[in-house]
Coordinates of all heavy atoms in Angstrom, one line a residue:
L45 N 0.8 -1.2 0.0 CA 0.0 0.0 0.0 C 0.9 1.3 0.0 O 1.9 1.2 0.7 CB -0.9 0.1 1.2 CG -2.0 -0.9 1.3 CD1 -2.8 -0.7 2.6 CD2 -3.0 -0.6 0.1
R46 N 0.4 2.3 -0.7 CA 1.1 3.5 -0.6 C 0.7 4.2 0.7 O -0.4 3.9 1.3 CB 0.6 4.4 -1.8 CG 1.2 3.9 -3.1 CD 0.6 4.6 -4.3 NE 0.4 6.0 -4.1 CZ -0.5 6.7 -4.6 NH1 -1.4 6.1 -5.4 NH2 -0.7 8.0 -4.4
V47 N 1.5 5.2 1.1 CA 1.2 6.0 2.3 C -0.1 6.6 2.3 O -0.9 6.5 3.3 CB 2.3 7.1 2.6 CG1 1.9 8.0 3.7 CG2 3.6 6.4 2.8
E48 N -0.5 7.2 1.1 CA -1.8 7.8 1.0 C -3.0 6.8 1.2 O -4.0 7.1 1.9 CB -2.0 8.5 -0.3 CG -1.2 9.7 -0.6 CD 0.3 9.3 -0.9 OE1 0.6 8.2 -1.1 OE2 1.1 10.2 -0.9
E49 N -2.7 5.5 0.7 CA -3.8 4.5 0.9 C -3.9 4.1 2.4 O -5.0 3.8 2.8 CB -3.5 3.4 0.0 CG -3.7 3.7 -1.5 CD -3.1 2.6 -2.4 OE1 -2.1 2.0 -2.1 OE2 -3.7 2.5 -3.5
K50 N -2.8 4.1 3.1 CA -2.7 3.6 4.4 C -3.4 4.7 5.3 O -4.2 4.5 6.1 CB -1.3 3.5 5.0 CG -0.7 2.2 4.5 CD 0.6 2.0 5.2 CE 1.2 0.7 4.8 NZ 2.4 0.3 5.4
L51 N -3.1 6.0 5.0 CA -3.7 7.1 5.7 C -5.2 7.1 5.5 O -6.0 7.5 6.4 CB -3.1 8.5 5.3 CG -1.7 8.7 5.7 CD1 -1.2 10.0 5.1 CD2 -1.6 8.7 7.3
Y52 N -5.7 6.7 4.4 CA -7.1 6.7 4.0 C -7.9 5.8 5.0 O -9.1 5.9 5.2 CB -7.3 6.4 2.6 CG -8.8 6.4 2.2 CD1 -9.4 7.6 2.1 CD2 -9.5 5.3 1.9 CE1 -10.7 7.7 1.7 CE2 -10.8 5.3 1.6 CZ -11.5 6.5 1.4 OH -12.7 6.6 1.1
Q53 N -7.1 4.7 5.5 CA -7.8 3.8 6.4 C -8.0 4.4 7.8 O -8.8 3.7 8.6 CB -7.0 2.5 6.5 CG -6.9 1.9 5.1 CD -6.2 0.5 5.2 OE1 -6.0 0.0 6.3 NE2 -5.8 0.0 4.1
N54 N -7.4 5.5 8.1 CA -7.7 6.0 9.4 C -9.1 6.6 9.6 O -9.7 7.0 8.6 CB -6.7 7.2 9.7 CG -5.3 6.9 9.7 OD1 -5.0 5.7 10.0 ND2 -4.3 7.8 9.5
R55 N -9.5 6.5 10.8 CA -10.9 7.0 11.1 C -10.8 8.0 12.2 O -9.9 7.9 13.0 CB -11.8 5.9 11.5 CG -12.1 4.9 10.3 CD -12.9 5.5 9.2 NE -13.1 4.6 8.1 CZ -12.3 4.6 6.9 NH1 -11.4 5.5 6.9 NH2 -12.5 3.8 6.0
Y56 N -11.7 9.0 12.2 CA -11.7 10.0 13.3 C -13.1 10.1 13.8 O -14.1 10.1 13.2 CB -11.4 11.4 12.6 CG -10.1 11.3 11.8 CD1 -10.1 11.0 10.5 CD2 -8.9 11.6 12.4 CE1 -9.0 10.9 9.8 CE2 -7.7 11.6 11.7 CZ -7.7 11.2 10.4 OH -6.6 11.2 9.7
L57 N -13.1 10.3 15.1 CA -14.3 10.6 15.8 C -14.2 12.0 16.4 O -13.4 12.2 17.4 CB -14.6 9.5 16.9 CG -16.0 9.6 17.4 CD1 -17.1 9.5 16.4 CD2 -16.2 8.5 18.5
V58 N -14.9 13.0 15.9 CA -14.8 14.3 16.3 C -15.6 14.5 17.6 O -16.7 14.0 17.7 CB -15.3 15.3 15.2 CG1 -15.3 16.8 15.6 CG2 -14.4 15.1 13.9
D59 N -15.0 15.3 18.5 CA -15.6 15.6 19.7 C -16.2 17.1 19.6 O -15.5 18.0 19.7 CB -14.5 15.7 20.9 CG -15.2 15.6 22.2 OD1 -16.4 15.7 22.3 OD2 -14.4 15.5 23.2
P60 N -17.4 17.2 19.2 CA -18.1 18.4 18.7 C -17.9 19.6 19.8 O -18.2 19.4 21.0 CB -19.5 18.1 18.6 CG -19.6 16.7 18.5 CD -18.5 16.1 19.3
G61 N -17.4 20.7 19.4 CA -17.2 21.8 20.2 C -16.0 21.8 21.2 O -15.9 22.6 22.1
R62 N -15.2 20.7 21.2 CA -14.2 20.5 22.1 C -12.8 20.2 21.3 O -12.3 19.1 21.4 CB -14.4 19.4 23.1 CG -15.6 19.8 24.0 CD -15.9 18.7 25.1 NE -14.8 18.6 26.0 CZ -14.9 18.1 27.2 NH1 -16.1 17.7 27.6 NH2 -13.9 18.0 28.0
P63 N -12.4 21.1 20.5 CA -11.1 20.9 19.8 C -10.0 20.6 20.7 O -9.9 21.3 21.8 CB -10.9 22.2 19.0 CG -11.6 23.2 19.8 CD -12.8 22.5 20.4
H64 N -9.2 19.6 20.4 CA -8.1 19.3 21.3 C -6.8 20.1 21.1 O -5.8 20.0 21.9 CB -7.7 17.8 21.3 CG -7.1 17.4 20.1 ND1 -7.8 17.2 18.9 CD2 -5.8 17.0 19.8 CE1 -7.0 16.8 17.9 NE2 -5.7 16.7 18.4
I65 N -6.8 21.0 20.1 CA -5.8 21.9 19.9 C -6.3 23.3 19.6 O -7.3 23.5 19.0 CB -5.0 21.5 18.6 CG1 -4.5 20.1 18.7 CG2 -3.8 22.5 18.4 CD1 -3.8 19.6 17.4
K66 N -5.7 24.3 20.3 CA -6.0 25.7 20.1 C -4.9 26.5 19.8 O -3.8 26.3 20.4 CB -6.8 26.2 21.4 CG -8.2 25.6 21.6 CD -8.8 26.1 22.9 CE -10.0 25.4 23.1 NZ -10.5 25.4 24.5
V67 N -5.1 27.5 18.9 CA -3.9 28.5 18.6 C -4.2 29.7 19.4 O -5.3 30.3 19.4 CB -4.0 28.8 17.1 CG1 -2.9 29.9 16.8 CG2 -3.7 27.6 16.2
R68 N -3.2 30.2 20.1 CA -3.3 31.4 20.9 C -3.6 32.6 19.9 O -2.9 32.7 18.9 CB -2.1 31.7 21.7 CG -2.2 32.8 22.7 CD -0.9 33.0 23.5 NE 0.2 33.3 22.7 CZ 1.4 33.3 23.2 NH1 1.7 33.0 24.5 NH2 2.5 33.7 22.3
P69 N -4.6 33.4 20.3 CA -4.8 34.6 19.4 C -3.6 35.5 19.2 O -2.8 35.6 20.1 CB -5.8 35.4 20.2 CG -6.5 34.4 21.1 CD -5.4 33.4 21.4
H70 N -3.4 35.9 18.0 CA -2.1 36.7 17.7 C -2.4 37.7 16.5 O -3.3 37.5 15.8 CB -1.0 35.7 17.2 CG -1.4 34.8 16.1 ND1 -2.1 33.6 16.4 CD2 -1.2 34.9 14.8 CE1 -2.3 33.0 15.2 NE2 -1.8 33.8 14.2
E71 N -1.6 38.7 16.5 CA -1.7 39.7 15.4 C -1.0 39.2 14.2 O -1.6 39.1 13.0 CB -1.1 41.0 15.8 CG -1.9 41.8 16.8 CD -3.1 42.4 16.2 OE1 -3.1 42.9 15.0 OE2 -4.2 42.4 16.8
R72 N 0.3 38.9 14.3 CA 1.1 38.2 13.2 C 1.6 37.0 13.7 O 2.2 36.8 14.8 CB 2.2 39.2 12.9 CG 1.8 40.5 12.4 CD 2.2 40.7 10.9 NE 1.6 42.0 10.4 CZ 0.4 42.1 9.9 NH1 -0.3 41.1 9.7 NH2 0.1 43.2 9.4
P73 N 1.6 35.9 12.9 CA 2.1 34.6 13.3 C 3.7 34.6 13.3 O 4.3 35.3 12.5 CB 1.7 33.7 12.2 CG 1.4 34.5 11.1 CD 1.0 35.9 11.5
S74 N 4.2 33.9 14.3 CA 5.7 33.8 14.4 C 6.0 32.8 13.2 O 5.3 32.2 12.6 CB 6.1 33.1 15.7 OG 5.6 31.8 15.7
A75 N 7.3 32.7 13.0 CA 7.8 31.8 11.9 C 7.5 30.3 12.3 O 7.1 29.6 11.4 CB 9.4 31.9 11.9
N76 N 7.5 29.9 13.5 CA 7.1 28.6 13.9 C 5.7 28.3 13.6 O 5.3 27.3 13.1 CB 7.5 28.3 15.4 CG 8.9 28.0 15.6 OD1 9.7 27.9 14.6 ND2 9.3 27.8 16.9
L77 N 4.8 29.3 14.1 CA 3.4 29.2 13.8 C 3.1 29.1 12.3 O 2.3 28.2 11.9 CB 2.7 30.3 14.4 CG 1.3 30.1 15.1 CD1 1.2 28.9 15.9 CD2 0.9 31.4 15.8
L78 N 3.8 29.8 11.6 CA 3.6 29.9 10.1 C 4.0 28.6 9.5 O 3.4 28.0 8.6 CB 4.4 31.1 9.5 CG 3.9 31.7 8.3 CD1 2.5 32.1 8.3 CD2 4.9 32.9 8.0
A79 N 5.1 28.0 10.1 CA 5.6 26.7 9.5 C 4.6 25.6 9.7 O 4.5 24.7 8.9 CB 6.8 26.3 10.3
L80 N 3.6 25.7 10.7 CA 2.6 24.6 10.9 C 1.7 24.5 9.7 O 1.2 23.4 9.4 CB 1.8 25.0 12.1 CG 2.5 24.9 13.4 CD1 1.5 25.2 14.6 CD2 3.4 23.7 13.6
T81 N 1.5 25.6 8.9 CA 0.7 25.5 7.7 C 1.3 24.7 6.6 O 0.6 24.3 5.7 CB 0.3 27.0 7.2 OG1 1.6 27.6 6.7 CG2 -0.3 27.8 8.2
H82 N 2.6 24.4 6.8 CA 3.3 23.6 5.8 C 3.6 22.2 6.3 O 3.6 21.3 5.5 CB 4.6 24.2 5.4 CG 4.4 25.6 4.8 ND1 3.9 25.8 3.5 CD2 4.7 26.8 5.2 CE1 3.8 27.1 3.2 NE2 4.3 27.8 4.3
I83 N 3.9 22.1 7.6 CA 4.4 20.8 8.0 C 3.4 19.8 8.6 O 3.7 18.7 8.8 CB 5.6 21.0 9.0 CG1 5.1 21.7 10.3 CG2 6.8 21.7 8.4 CD1 6.2 21.8 11.3
C84 N 2.2 20.3 9.0 CA 1.2 19.4 9.6 C 0.7 18.4 8.4 O 0.3 18.8 7.4 CB 0.0 20.2 10.1 SG -1.4 19.0 10.5
P85 N 1.0 17.1 8.7 CA 0.7 16.1 7.7 C -0.8 16.0 7.4 O -1.2 15.5 6.3 CB 1.2 14.8 8.3 CG 1.3 15.0 9.7 CD 1.6 16.5 9.9
A86 N -1.6 16.5 8.3 CA -3.0 16.4 8.1 C -3.6 17.8 7.7 O -4.8 17.8 7.5 CB -3.7 16.0 9.4
K87 N -2.8 18.7 7.4 CA -3.2 20.0 7.0 C -4.3 20.6 7.8 O -5.3 21.1 7.5 CB -3.7 20.0 5.5 CG -2.7 19.3 4.6 CD -2.5 20.1 3.3 CE -1.5 19.5 2.3 NZ -0.1 19.3 2.9
C88 N -4.0 20.5 9.2 CA -4.9 21.1 10.2 C -4.8 22.6 10.4 O -5.6 23.2 11.0 CB -4.7 20.4 11.5 SG -5.2 18.7 11.5
Y89 N -3.7 23.2 9.9 CA -3.4 24.6 10.1 C -3.5 25.4 8.7 O -3.0 24.9 7.7 CB -1.9 24.8 10.7 CG -1.9 24.3 12.1 CD1 -1.5 23.0 12.3 CD2 -2.1 25.1 13.2 CE1 -1.4 22.5 13.6 CE2 -2.0 24.6 14.5 CZ -1.6 23.3 14.7 OH -1.5 22.8 15.9
E90 N -4.1 26.5 8.8 CA -4.2 27.4 7.6 C -4.2 28.8 8.0 O -4.6 29.2 9.1 CB -5.3 26.9 6.7 CG -6.6 27.0 7.3 CD -7.7 26.4 6.3 OE1 -7.3 25.8 5.4 OE2 -8.9 26.7 6.6
L91 N -3.9 29.7 7.0 CA -4.0 31.1 7.2 C -5.4 31.6 7.0 O -6.0 31.2 6.0 CB -3.1 31.9 6.3 CG -1.5 31.7 6.6 CD1 -0.8 32.4 5.5 CD2 -1.3 32.4 7.9
N92 N -5.9 32.5 7.8 CA -7.2 33.1 7.5 C -7.0 34.4 6.7 O -5.8 34.7 6.3 CB -8.0 33.3 8.8 CG -7.3 34.4 9.7 OD1 -6.5 35.2 9.3 ND2 -7.7 34.4 11.0
D93 N -8.0 35.1 6.4 CA -7.9 36.2 5.5 C -7.2 37.4 6.2 O -6.9 38.4 5.5 CB -9.2 36.7 4.9 CG -10.3 36.9 6.0 OD1 -9.9 36.9 7.2 OD2 -11.5 37.1 5.7
K94 N -6.9 37.3 7.5 CA -6.1 38.4 8.2 C -4.7 38.0 8.3 O -3.9 38.7 8.9 CB -6.7 38.6 9.6 CG -8.2 39.2 9.5 CD -8.6 39.3 11.0 CE -10.1 39.7 11.0 NZ -10.8 39.4 12.2
G95 N -4.3 36.8 7.7 CA -3.0 36.4 7.8 C -2.6 35.7 9.2 O -1.4 35.6 9.5
Q96 N -3.6 35.3 9.9 CA -3.4 34.7 11.2 C -3.5 33.2 11.0 O -4.3 32.7 10.1 CB -4.4 35.2 12.2 CG -4.2 36.6 12.5 CD -5.5 37.3 13.1 OE1 -6.6 36.8 12.9 NE2 -5.3 38.4 13.7
V97 N -2.9 32.4 11.8 CA -2.9 31.0 11.7 C -4.1 30.4 12.5 O -4.3 30.8 13.6 CB -1.6 30.3 12.2 CG1 -1.7 28.8 12.2 CG2 -0.4 30.7 11.3
E98 N -4.9 29.6 11.8 CA -6.1 28.9 12.5 C -5.9 27.4 12.4 O -5.3 27.0 11.5 CB -7.4 29.3 11.8 CG -7.8 30.8 12.0 CD -9.1 31.1 11.3 OE1 -9.5 30.3 10.4 OE2 -9.7 32.1 11.6
T99 N -6.6 26.7 13.3 CA -6.6 25.3 13.2 C -7.9 24.7 13.2 O -8.8 25.2 13.9 CB -5.7 24.7 14.3 OG1 -5.6 23.3 14.1 CG2 -6.3 24.9 15.7
T100 N -8.0 23.6 12.5 CA -9.2 22.7 12.6 C -8.6 21.4 12.8 O -8.0 20.7 12.0 CB -10.0 22.7 11.3 OG1 -10.3 24.0 10.9 CG2 -11.3 21.9 11.4
S101 N -8.8 20.9 14.1 CA -8.1 19.7 14.5 C -8.8 18.4 14.2 O -8.4 17.4 14.7 CB -7.7 19.8 16.0 OG -8.9 20.0 16.8
D102 N -9.9 18.5 13.5 CA -10.7 17.3 13.3 C -9.9 16.1 12.7 O -10.2 14.9 13.0 CB -11.9 17.6 12.3 CG -12.8 18.6 12.9 OD1 -12.7 19.0 14.1 OD2 -13.8 19.0 12.2
G103 N -9.1 16.3 11.7 CA -8.3 15.3 11.1 C -6.9 15.0 11.7 O -6.2 14.3 11.1
C104 N -6.7 15.5 12.8 CA -5.3 15.4 13.4 C -5.0 13.9 13.7 O -5.8 13.2 14.2 CB -5.4 16.2 14.8 SG -3.9 15.9 15.8
M105 N -3.8 13.6 13.3 CA -3.2 12.2 13.5 C -2.5 12.1 14.8 O -1.8 11.0 15.1 CB -2.4 11.8 12.4 CG -3.1 11.8 11.1 SD -2.1 11.1 9.7 CE -1.4 12.7 9.2
E106 N -2.4 13.2 15.6 CA -1.7 13.2 16.9 C -0.2 12.8 16.7 O 0.3 12.1 17.6 CB -2.5 12.2 17.9 CG -3.9 12.7 18.2 CD -4.7 11.6 18.9 OE1 -4.1 10.8 19.7 OE2 -5.9 11.6 18.8
C107 N 0.3 13.3 15.7 CA 1.8 13.0 15.5 C 2.7 13.8 16.3 O 3.8 13.5 16.6 CB 2.1 13.3 14.0 SG 2.2 15.0 13.6
G108 N 2.1 14.9 16.9 CA 2.9 15.7 17.8 C 3.9 16.8 17.3 O 4.5 17.5 17.9
T109 N 3.9 16.9 15.9 CA 4.9 17.8 15.3 C 4.6 19.3 15.7 O 5.4 20.0 16.2 CB 4.7 17.8 13.8 OG1 5.0 16.4 13.3 CG2 5.8 18.7 13.1
C110 N 3.3 19.7 15.7 CA 3.0 21.0 16.1 C 3.2 21.2 17.6 O 3.6 22.3 18.0 CB 1.6 21.3 15.7 SG 0.3 20.3 16.5
R111 N 3.0 20.2 18.4 CA 3.2 20.3 19.8 C 4.7 20.5 20.1 O 5.0 21.4 21.0 CB 2.7 18.9 20.5 CG 2.7 19.0 21.9 CD 2.1 17.7 22.5 NE 1.8 17.9 23.9 CZ 1.3 17.0 24.7 NH1 1.1 15.8 24.2 NH2 1.0 17.3 25.9
V112 N 5.5 19.8 19.5 CA 7.0 20.0 19.7 C 7.4 21.4 19.3 O 8.2 22.0 20.0 CB 7.8 18.9 18.9 CG1 9.3 19.3 18.8 CG2 7.6 17.5 19.4
L113 N 6.9 21.9 18.2 CA 7.3 23.2 17.7 C 6.7 24.4 18.4 O 7.4 25.4 18.6 CB 6.9 23.3 16.2 CG 7.6 24.3 15.3 CD1 9.1 24.0 15.3 CD2 7.1 24.2 13.9
C114 N 5.5 24.3 18.8 CA 4.8 25.5 19.3 C 4.1 25.4 20.7 O 3.6 26.5 21.1 CB 3.8 26.0 18.4 SG 4.5 26.5 16.8
E115 N 4.2 24.3 21.4 CA 3.5 24.3 22.7 C 4.4 25.0 23.8 O 3.8 25.7 24.6 CB 3.2 22.8 23.1 CG 2.3 22.8 24.3 CD 2.1 21.4 24.8 OE1 3.1 20.6 24.8 OE2 0.9 21.1 25.2
A116 N 5.6 24.8 23.8 CA 6.4 25.4 24.9 C 6.4 26.9 24.9 O 6.4 27.5 25.9 CB 7.9 24.9 24.7
S117 N 6.3 27.4 23.7 CA 6.2 28.9 23.6 C 4.8 29.4 23.9 O 4.6 30.6 24.0 CB 6.6 29.3 22.2 OG 5.7 28.8 21.2
G118 N 3.9 28.5 24.2 CA 2.5 28.9 24.4 C 1.7 29.4 23.2 O 0.5 29.8 23.4
E119 N 2.2 29.2 22.0 CA 1.5 29.6 20.9 C 0.3 28.7 20.5 O -0.6 29.1 19.9 CB 2.4 29.7 19.7 CG 3.5 30.8 19.8 CD 4.5 30.8 18.7 OE1 5.3 29.9 18.6 OE2 4.4 31.7 17.9
I120 N 0.4 27.4 20.9 CA -0.7 26.6 20.8 C -1.0 25.8 22.2 O 0.0 25.7 23.0 CB -0.6 25.5 19.7 CG1 0.5 24.5 20.0 CG2 -0.4 26.2 18.3 CD1 0.5 23.3 19.1
V121 N -2.2 25.4 22.4 CA -2.5 24.6 23.5 C -2.9 23.2 23.0 O -3.7 23.1 22.0 CB -3.6 25.2 24.4 CG1 -4.0 24.2 25.5 CG2 -3.2 26.5 24.9
W122 N -2.2 22.2 23.5 CA -2.4 20.8 22.8 C -2.7 19.8 23.9 O -2.0 19.6 24.9 CB -1.1 20.4 22.1 CG -1.1 19.4 21.1 CD1 -0.9 19.6 19.7 CD2 -1.2 18.0 21.3 NE1 -1.0 18.4 19.0 CE2 -1.1 17.4 20.0 CE3 -1.4 17.2 22.4 CZ2 -1.3 16.0 19.8 CZ3 -1.6 15.8 22.2 CH2 -1.5 15.2 20.9
N123 N -3.8 19.2 23.8 CA -4.2 18.1 24.7 C -4.6 16.9 23.8 O -5.1 17.1 22.7 CB -5.4 18.5 25.6 CG -4.9 19.6 26.5 OD1 -4.1 19.3 27.5 ND2 -5.4 20.8 26.4
Y124 N -4.5 15.7 24.4 CA -5.0 14.6 23.6 C -6.6 14.7 23.7 O -7.1 15.2 24.6 CB -4.6 13.3 24.3 CG -3.2 12.8 23.9 CD1 -2.2 12.9 24.8 CD2 -3.0 12.3 22.7 CE1 -0.8 12.6 24.5 CE2 -1.7 11.9 22.3 CZ -0.6 12.1 23.2 OH 0.6 11.7 22.8
P125 N -7.2 14.2 22.7 CA -8.7 14.2 22.7 C -9.2 13.3 23.9 O -8.5 12.4 24.4 CB -9.1 13.5 21.4 CG -7.9 13.7 20.5 CD -6.7 13.6 21.4
R126 N -10.4 13.6 24.3 CA -11.0 12.7 25.4 C -11.1 11.3 24.9 O -11.0 11.0 23.7 CB -12.5 13.2 25.6 CG -12.5 14.4 26.3 CD -13.9 14.6 26.9 NE -14.9 14.8 25.9 CZ -16.2 14.5 26.0 NH1 -16.6 14.3 27.3 NH2 -17.1 14.7 25.0
G127 N -11.1 10.3 25.9 CA -11.1 8.9 25.5 C -12.3 8.6 24.5 O -13.4 9.1 24.7
G128 N -12.0 7.8 23.5 CA -12.9 7.4 22.5 C -13.1 8.4 21.4 O -13.7 8.1 20.3
F129 N -12.4 9.5 21.5 CA -12.4 10.5 20.4 C -11.1 10.6 19.7 O -10.0 10.2 20.3 CB -12.9 11.9 20.9 CG -14.3 12.0 21.3 CD1 -14.6 11.8 22.7 CD2 -15.4 12.1 20.4 CE1 -15.9 11.9 23.1 CE2 -16.7 12.1 20.8 CZ -16.9 12.0 22.2
G130 N -11.1 11.3 18.6 CA -9.8 11.5 17.8 C -9.6 10.4 16.8 O -10.5 9.8 16.3
V131 N -8.3 10.2 16.5 CA -7.9 9.4 15.4 C -8.0 7.9 15.9 O -7.7 7.5 17.0 CB -6.5 9.7 14.8 CG1 -5.5 9.4 15.8 CG2 -6.3 8.9 13.5
L132 N -8.4 7.1 14.9 CA -8.4 5.6 15.2 C -7.5 5.0 14.0 O -7.9 5.0 12.9 CB -9.8 5.0 15.1 CG -9.9 3.5 15.2 CD1 -9.5 3.0 16.6 CD2 -11.3 3.0 14.9
F133 N -6.3 4.6 14.4 CA -5.5 4.0 13.4 C -5.8 2.5 13.2 O -6.2 1.8 14.0 CB -4.0 4.1 13.9 CG -3.5 5.4 13.9 CD1 -3.3 6.1 15.1 CD2 -3.1 6.1 12.8 CE1 -2.9 7.4 15.3 CE2 -2.6 7.4 12.8 CZ -2.5 8.0 14.0
K134 N -5.8 2.2 11.9 CA -6.1 0.8 11.4 C -4.8 0.2 11.0 O -4.2 0.6 10.0 CB -7.1 0.8 10.4 CG -7.8 -0.5 10.1 CD -9.0 -0.2 9.2 CE -9.7 -1.6 8.9 NZ -10.7 -1.3 7.9
F135 N -4.3 -0.8 11.7 CA -3.1 -1.5 11.2 C -3.4 -2.8 10.6 O -4.3 -3.5 10.9 CB -2.3 -1.8 12.5 CG -1.8 -0.5 13.2 CD1 -2.4 -0.1 14.3 CD2 -0.8 0.3 12.8 CE1 -2.0 1.1 15.0 CE2 -0.4 1.5 13.4 CZ -1.0 1.8 14.5
G136 N -2.5 -3.2 9.6 CA -2.7 -4.4 8.9 C -3.6 -4.4 7.9 O -4.3 -3.5 7.6
Ligands
LIG1489 FE1 -1.0 18.2 12.5 FE2 0.4 16.4 13.9 FE3 -0.3 18.7 15.0 FE4 -2.1 16.8 14.5 S1 -0.4 16.7 16.0 S2 -2.3 19.1 14.1 S3 -1.5 15.9 12.7 S4 1.1 18.4 13.3

């Protein structure tokens, strides 16, 4: 299987109204925050029409890349989804 085909087998259960990742409000994004719009494998980060970074964490694979890059600086708040929600990986 190609990587794309494997990723397609993942399933997500969205926890409505309780996103597990939040971006701290900002005027202009830092370089790290801006980088998230390119490096998130699930494309959960994008620029809004004001040039600020927003997230929709519904398809998040919980890889932790954004957490490593931006949590310590407080630019994002990252928690695992509640039990039973989030990504469900299908192996084999
Ligand atoms: Fe994207 Fe990974 Fe961060 Fe989820 S944990 S939003 S998949 S970079």
Side-chain angles (χ1 to χ4, degrees):
L45 286 180
R46 292 171 37 212
V47 170
E48 290 78 7
E49 291 168 328
K50 286 188 176 181
L51 290 174
Y52 183 71
Q53 296 187 14
N54 295 336
R55 294 292 175 261
Y56 306 89
L57 190 56
V58 175
D59 197 356
R62 296 182 66 157
H64 69 285
I65 304 172
K66 290 178 184 160
V67 177
R68 187 175 65 186
H70 53 277
E71 285 291 320
R72 298 243 173 273
S74 68
N76 279 358
L77 212 46
L78 209 49
L80 298 184
T81 63
H82 300 288
I83 63 175
C84 170
K87 309 232 178 295
C88 292
Y89 293 88
E90 57 186 14
L91 286 175
N92 65 18
D93 54 7
K94 295 176 187 159
Q96 299 157 339
V97 175
E98 290 181 343
T99 184
T100 306
S101 58
D102 294 356
C104 171
M105 293 184 276
E106 298 169 28
C107 72
T109 305
C110 60
R111 189 176 196 182
V112 168
L113 201 60
C114 292
E115 190 185 38
S117 61
E119 292 177 288
I120 66 169
V121 176
W122 201 108
N123 291 292
Y124 280 105
R126 287 194 297 160
F129 292 97
V131 67
L132 174 68
F133 290 104
K134 196 171 176 184
F135 298 101

